[in-house]
Amino acid sequence: LFTDALRRTGFLAMVWGPHVSDLVFDIEDLERFATTGSPMDVTLKSKSMLLGFSGQGRAEKGLKLAGQATAEAADIGGLLRWLGMSVQTLDRAGAAAFQSGLETNGLAMTFGSLTGDIGGTSLKGKITLSAGADRPKLSGDLNVSALSLWGPKTVTSLLAQPWSEEPIKVEDVAAVD
């Protein structure tokens, strides 16, 4: 860890889930980061996965970020497990790489100008994840090159995956192209 009166740069090796991971960060101005905001870079990586952020960060009244985010993984199912999540239908989806703009506002994260690839399926668009209610809300507008369920599950069983005991109301889906 390197620090002086205004700058903090660090490297931390840690175990995140079953993986040894490295956290590397650089905050240009700690005083500005605490109040009005400061340029910053943060990278969390393991042997076959990487999450990165480069942009502006501010800690006053909750963490606020605005900049570019990157995620790369040799296996999307492994990336989700590394983050503490699991979606069975994505276990065999293959490699993934994403880049997007990232903005946070309270408990909402927006990935704008999102481009990426999951197992040969390219996508682009915008996704917002809000975590301020009883359960997270994921909304977005994505264009994909092909729709693949990455396994033998039907659409109905995929949509019924548990966030709660209630099934997702399919009639609320505006369109599938």
Side-chain angles (χ1 to χ4, degrees), residues 40-43 50-57 65-71 98-104 110-115:
M40 63 186 294
D41 294 295
V42 180
T43 304
L50 173 129
L51 296 175
F53 171 78
S54 182
Q56 194 78 5
L65 301 173
Q68 289 295 118
T70 302
F98 303 99
Q99 292 202 355
S100 76
L102 170 66
E103 290 191 30
T104 63
T110 300
F111 297 90
S113 303
L114 173 70
T115 59

Side-chain angles (χ1 to χ4, degrees), residues 11-24 43-51 78 81-83:
F11 171 83
L12 176 66
M14 61 186 187
V15 176
W16 180 301
H19 303 279
V20 175
S21 302
D22 298 331
L23 175 65
V24 180
T43 304
L44 179 63
K45 64 180 179 174
S46 73
K47 184 177 180 180
S48 61
M49 294 166 253
L50 173 129
L51 296 175
R81 285 188 299 279
W82 184 52
L83 295 172

Side-chain angles (χ1 to χ4, degrees), residues 80-167:
L80 292 172
R81 285 188 299 279
W82 184 52
L83 295 172
M85 300 178 275
S86 181
V87 178
Q88 270 188 326
T89 55
L90 293 178
D91 279 347
R92 295 180 303 273
F98 303 99
Q99 292 202 355
S100 76
L102 170 66
E103 290 191 30
T104 63
N105 185 9
L107 296 175
M109 255 186 203
T110 300
F111 297 90
S113 303
L114 173 70
T115 59
D117 182 85
I118 300 176
T121 298
S122 62
L123 57 94
K124 64 181 179 177
K126 176 181 174 178
I127 294 176
T128 299
L129 174 62
S130 301
D134 290 340
R135 64 184 193 181
K137 178 182 177 185
L138 182 65
S139 59
D141 184 7
L142 290 176
N143 291 317
V144 296
S145 60
L147 181 61
S148 171
L149 299 179
W150 299 290
K153 297 208 176 227
T154 65
V155 172
T156 304
S157 66
L158 176 64
L159 293 175
Q161 294 295 318
W163 275 108
S164 72
E165 296 299 317
E166 294 179 87

